[in-house]
Amino acid sequence: MSELIHTIEEWLMEYGVWGLALVSFADSSFFPIPPDVLLIPMGISNPDSVLFYAFITTATSVLGALLGWFIGKKLGRPVLTYLFKEDKVQKVEYYFTKYGSMAILMAALTPVPYKIFTIFAGISRIRLRTLVIWSIIGRGARFFAEALLILFLGAQAKNFIDNNFALITIIGAVIIVGSYLVYMYIRKRRNPKNP
């Protein structure tokens, strides 16, 4: 299976930006290959365009999230249990129950399979606006962070990302979520009459 995925990666690389856009779109809704595997080598080989690549990856990933949402809305829970193991589905349900729509942000930023969250967002009827906002923030932070690492570290960025990026994105997610909660707390204290 890993050999097949590697062959698909190499095939997509031949299409450059179009391959990157395709895999980024598909990753957010049904495809097993994350866009990072194309974004990083493409950015290293052409650092002058890495910020553009990050933009394309973010934009098409958000569009793919919309497809995931529609899949969840139209096909419901059976599509999740068909595509993913039951324990993963239950874990996503737990995150949505505990964190609400913030679970989308955490999934968008961290290495967990984003598609399962976008599909579940459709099942849960989370507003499209909410999905788009958190997807832009999370996916943008992730892909532009990779682009900036490539700009600063060059070819060494790949090893750095491979060894540390999961931890960095998790820390980033905690910082973003924490900042949002502090903002909401301050806002509520200033306007106690507003919900």
Side-chain angles (χ1 to χ4, degrees), residues 137-159:
I137 293 170
R139 296 311 250 182
R142 174 174 172 167
F143 300 133
F144 276 94
E146 290 177 344
L148 290 173
L149 285 171
I150 290 167
L151 283 176
F152 286 114
L153 299 177
Q156 295 176 351
K158 183 170 184 348
N159 286 335

Side-chain angles (χ1 to χ4, degrees), residues 180 183-195:
Y180 176 77
Y183 164 76
M184 292 303 291
Y185 175 77
I186 292 170
R187 184 177 167 194
K188 190 174 182 181
R189 292 276 303 218
R190 288 183 179 168
N191 303 305
K193 293 182 180 179
N194 292 341

Side-chain angles (χ1 to χ4, degrees), residues 9-41:
E9 289 171 11
E10 289 183 340
W11 176 73
L12 288 166
M13 279 289 284
E14 293 178 13
Y15 290 90
V17 174
W18 291 107
L20 178 63
L22 177 64
V23 76
S24 180
F25 176 84
D27 168 66
S28 294
S29 47
F30 61 87
F31 201 53
I33 299 175
D36 314 72
V37 299
L38 298 183
L39 172 61
I40 294 167

Side-chain angles (χ1 to χ4, degrees), residues 161-176:
I161 291 168
D162 289 344
N163 294 327
N164 303 295
F165 204 69
L167 177 63
I168 291 169
T169 56
I170 289 168
I171 292 170
V174 170
I175 291 170
I176 291 172

Side-chain angles (χ1 to χ4, degrees), residues 33-185:
I33 299 175
D36 314 72
V37 299
L38 298 183
L39 172 61
I40 294 167
M42 285 176 64
I44 289 171
S45 66
N46 193 1
D48 291 340
S49 299
V50 70
L51 293 175
F52 172 68
Y53 296 155
F55 170 76
I56 291 295
T57 308
T58 301
T60 52
S61 183
V62 173
L63 291 174
L66 296 177
L67 176 60
W69 186 90
F70 280 108
I71 289 171
K73 183 181 177 187
K74 296 297 181 185
L75 302 179
R77 187 182 171 90
V79 73
L80 272 184
T81 53
Y82 176 77
L83 293 172
F84 305 99
K85 292 180 180 177
E86 182 63 30
D87 61 322
K88 284 190 177 181
V89 175
Q90 288 176 0
K91 193 175 283 189
V92 170
E93 284 181 314
Y94 166 78
Y95 285 130
F96 268 93
T97 302
K98 188 168 183 179
Y99 300 108
S101 59
M102 297 282 294
I104 297 166
L105 170 66
M106 290 185 281
L109 188 57
T110 59
V112 300
Y114 186 49
K115 63 193 74 58
I116 190 171
F117 284 82
T118 64
I119 294 170
F120 194 82
I123 294 169
S124 303
R125 308 294 170 126
I126 285 175
R127 290 189 306 171
L128 277 175
R129 179 182 166 191
T130 302
L131 175 66
V132 169
I133 290 170
W134 287 125
S135 294
I136 290 171
I137 293 170
R139 296 311 250 182
R142 174 174 172 167
F143 300 133
F144 276 94
E146 290 177 344
L148 290 173
L149 285 171
I150 290 167
L151 283 176
F152 286 114
L153 299 177
Q156 295 176 351
K158 183 170 184 348
N159 286 335
F160 181 84
I161 291 168
D162 289 344
N163 294 327
N164 303 295
F165 204 69
L167 177 63
I168 291 169
T169 56
I170 289 168
I171 292 170
V174 170
I175 291 170
I176 291 172
V177 171
S179 301
Y180 176 77
L181 293 175
V182 168
Y183 164 76
M184 292 303 291
Y185 175 77

